[in-house]
Amino acid sequence: MKVLKDPNQVLRIMRAKLDELHKRFVEAGVGESTEISGQESAIIDIAGNIRHAIEDHGCFGADDMKCVYDYVDDAKEKCREYCNPRDTWFMKGRAEGAIWAMKEIEKRMEEEP
C-alpha cells in the first residue's frame, strides 16, 4: 500500500504555497484575488485531510488519497460559469488549488516497506 512518506514535508510545501498566494493576493485585482481565495481554500482543506488522517490512524495512505481525488473531482465538476463572476473565479481557483495539492501529494507517495 502506498503512504505519504513525509507528511510534514508536504504540509510545509503547502504552507509555503499559501504564503506565496497571500503575497499575490495583496496586489491582485478583484478577479485574481477571488481566484486566489479559492486556491487557498482547497489547499487548506486538503492539508486538514492530511492532518486528520495522521491523527486518526498514524499515516496518510491510499484510502486517504481517495478523499483527495474525490475533492478534486468535486472541484472540477463545480468549476463552471455562474451568474456571479466572483463565484466563477472562486470555483476556478478552488479547482486549481485542489489539483496542485493532489500533484504535490502524489509525488511523495511511496510503497510502504
Side-chain angles (χ1 to χ4, degrees), residues 11 13-15 26 28 31 35 49-51 67 74-75 84-85 95-96 101 103 113:
L11 293 171
I13 290 167
M14 288 180 169
R15 175 80 262 165
V26 173
E35 208 171 296
N49 288 345
I50 293 170
R51 287 185 189 95
C67 293
D74 180 65
N84 183 339
E96 289 172 359
K103 289 178 181 178

Short mmCIF file of all heavy atoms in Angstrom, two decimals, residues 11 13-15 26 28 31 35 49-51 67 74-75 84-85 95-96 101 103 113:
data_model
loop_
_atom_site.label_atom_id
_atom_site.label_comp_id
_atom_site.label_asym_id
_atom_site.label_seq_id
_atom_site.Cartn_x
_atom_site.Cartn_y
_atom_site.Cartn_z
N LEU A 11 3.12 19.24 4.20
CA LEU A 11 2.44 20.33 4.89
C LEU A 11 3.27 21.62 4.84
O LEU A 11 2.71 22.70 4.69
CB LEU A 11 2.11 19.93 6.33
CG LEU A 11 1.06 18.82 6.46
CD1 LEU A 11 0.96 18.34 7.90
CD2 LEU A 11 -0.29 19.27 5.94
N ILE A 13 5.36 22.40 2.38
CA ILE A 13 5.24 22.86 0.99
C ILE A 13 3.90 23.57 0.80
O ILE A 13 3.83 24.62 0.15
CB ILE A 13 5.40 21.67 0.01
CG1 ILE A 13 6.85 21.18 0.03
CG2 ILE A 13 4.95 22.04 -1.40
CD1 ILE A 13 7.07 19.85 -0.65
N MET A 14 2.85 23.02 1.37
CA MET A 14 1.53 23.66 1.26
C MET A 14 1.53 25.01 1.98
O MET A 14 0.95 25.97 1.47
CB MET A 14 0.45 22.74 1.83
CG MET A 14 0.17 21.54 0.97
SD MET A 14 -1.12 20.52 1.70
CE MET A 14 -1.46 19.42 0.34
N ARG A 15 2.17 25.07 3.13
CA ARG A 15 2.26 26.34 3.88
C ARG A 15 3.01 27.39 3.05
O ARG A 15 2.60 28.55 2.99
CB ARG A 15 2.96 26.10 5.22
CG ARG A 15 3.23 27.32 6.05
CD ARG A 15 2.01 27.77 6.81
NE ARG A 15 1.36 28.84 6.08
CZ ARG A 15 0.14 29.28 6.30
NH1 ARG A 15 -0.61 28.72 7.19
NH2 ARG A 15 -0.37 30.26 5.61
N VAL A 26 -2.42 40.30 -2.05
CA VAL A 26 -2.33 41.70 -1.63
C VAL A 26 -2.32 42.65 -2.82
O VAL A 26 -2.91 43.73 -2.77
CB VAL A 26 -1.08 41.91 -0.74
CG1 VAL A 26 -0.85 43.37 -0.42
CG2 VAL A 26 -1.20 41.09 0.54
N ALA A 28 -3.37 41.78 -6.01
CA ALA A 28 -4.24 41.30 -7.08
C ALA A 28 -5.50 42.14 -7.21
O ALA A 28 -5.95 42.78 -6.26
CB ALA A 28 -4.63 39.85 -6.80
N GLY A 31 -10.85 39.90 -9.59
CA GLY A 31 -10.96 38.55 -10.15
C GLY A 31 -9.85 37.63 -9.67
O GLY A 31 -10.10 36.52 -9.23
N GLU A 35 -9.96 34.29 -7.16
CA GLU A 35 -9.40 33.02 -7.60
C GLU A 35 -8.37 32.51 -6.60
O GLU A 35 -8.34 31.32 -6.25
CB GLU A 35 -8.76 33.21 -8.97
CG GLU A 35 -8.75 31.96 -9.82
CD GLU A 35 -8.29 32.25 -11.24
OE1 GLU A 35 -8.98 33.01 -11.96
OE2 GLU A 35 -7.24 31.70 -11.61
N ASN A 49 -7.19 17.41 5.67
CA ASN A 49 -7.39 15.97 5.46
C ASN A 49 -6.13 15.18 5.84
O ASN A 49 -6.23 14.11 6.44
CB ASN A 49 -7.74 15.67 4.00
CG ASN A 49 -9.14 16.11 3.63
OD1 ASN A 49 -9.96 16.39 4.48
ND2 ASN A 49 -9.41 16.17 2.34
N ILE A 50 -4.97 15.70 5.48
CA ILE A 50 -3.71 15.03 5.83
C ILE A 50 -3.56 14.98 7.34
O ILE A 50 -3.26 13.92 7.92
CB ILE A 50 -2.51 15.74 5.18
CG1 ILE A 50 -2.57 15.60 3.65
CG2 ILE A 50 -1.19 15.19 5.72
CD1 ILE A 50 -1.56 16.46 2.91
N ARG A 51 -3.76 16.10 8.00
CA ARG A 51 -3.62 16.15 9.47
C ARG A 51 -4.60 15.20 10.14
O ARG A 51 -4.24 14.49 11.09
CB ARG A 51 -3.83 17.57 9.98
CG ARG A 51 -2.69 18.50 9.66
CD ARG A 51 -2.90 19.87 10.31
NE ARG A 51 -1.92 20.80 9.83
CZ ARG A 51 -2.12 21.64 8.81
NH1 ARG A 51 -3.27 21.66 8.16
NH2 ARG A 51 -1.16 22.47 8.44
N CYS A 67 -9.94 10.31 -0.83
CA CYS A 67 -10.69 11.50 -0.42
C CYS A 67 -10.20 12.74 -1.17
O CYS A 67 -10.98 13.61 -1.53
CB CYS A 67 -10.56 11.73 1.08
SG CYS A 67 -11.36 10.45 2.07
N ASP A 74 -14.85 16.84 -7.33
CA ASP A 74 -15.92 17.76 -6.96
C ASP A 74 -15.58 19.19 -7.39
O ASP A 74 -16.43 19.90 -7.93
CB ASP A 74 -16.17 17.69 -5.45
CG ASP A 74 -17.28 18.62 -5.02
OD1 ASP A 74 -18.44 18.39 -5.44
OD2 ASP A 74 -17.00 19.58 -4.27
N ALA A 75 -14.34 19.60 -7.14
CA ALA A 75 -13.93 20.96 -7.51
C ALA A 75 -13.98 21.16 -9.02
O ALA A 75 -14.44 22.20 -9.50
CB ALA A 75 -12.52 21.23 -6.98
N ASN A 84 -22.84 34.96 -10.89
CA ASN A 84 -21.95 35.91 -10.23
C ASN A 84 -20.51 35.58 -10.63
O ASN A 84 -20.02 34.49 -10.33
CB ASN A 84 -22.12 35.83 -8.72
CG ASN A 84 -21.28 36.83 -7.97
OD1 ASN A 84 -20.29 37.35 -8.48
ND2 ASN A 84 -21.68 37.12 -6.75
N PRO A 85 -19.81 36.50 -11.29
CA PRO A 85 -18.44 36.21 -11.73
C PRO A 85 -17.51 35.84 -10.57
O PRO A 85 -16.61 35.02 -10.75
CB PRO A 85 -17.97 37.52 -12.38
CG PRO A 85 -19.20 38.28 -12.69
CD PRO A 85 -20.25 37.82 -11.73
N ALA A 95 -10.55 24.66 -7.89
CA ALA A 95 -10.14 23.51 -8.72
C ALA A 95 -8.63 23.53 -8.93
O ALA A 95 -7.96 22.50 -8.80
CB ALA A 95 -10.87 23.52 -10.05
N GLU A 96 -8.07 24.69 -9.24
CA GLU A 96 -6.62 24.80 -9.46
C GLU A 96 -5.84 24.44 -8.20
O GLU A 96 -4.84 23.72 -8.26
CB GLU A 96 -6.26 26.21 -9.91
CG GLU A 96 -6.73 26.54 -11.31
CD GLU A 96 -6.53 28.01 -11.67
OE1 GLU A 96 -6.05 28.80 -10.81
OE2 GLU A 96 -6.88 28.37 -12.81
N ALA A 101 -2.46 20.64 -5.07
CA ALA A 101 -2.21 19.88 -3.84
C ALA A 101 -2.16 18.38 -4.12
O ALA A 101 -1.28 17.67 -3.60
CB ALA A 101 -3.29 20.20 -2.80
N LYS A 103 -1.24 16.87 -6.86
CA LYS A 103 0.02 16.53 -7.52
C LYS A 103 1.18 16.53 -6.54
O LYS A 103 2.08 15.67 -6.63
CB LYS A 103 0.30 17.52 -8.66
CG LYS A 103 -0.61 17.32 -9.85
CD LYS A 103 -0.35 18.34 -10.93
CE LYS A 103 -1.28 18.15 -12.11
NZ LYS A 103 -1.07 19.18 -13.14
N PRO A 113 7.10 -0.04 3.30
CA PRO A 113 8.07 -1.16 3.41
C PRO A 113 7.48 -2.38 4.08
O PRO A 113 6.56 -2.37 4.78
CB PRO A 113 9.21 -0.59 4.25
CG PRO A 113 8.79 0.73 4.76
CD PRO A 113 7.49 1.09 4.08
#
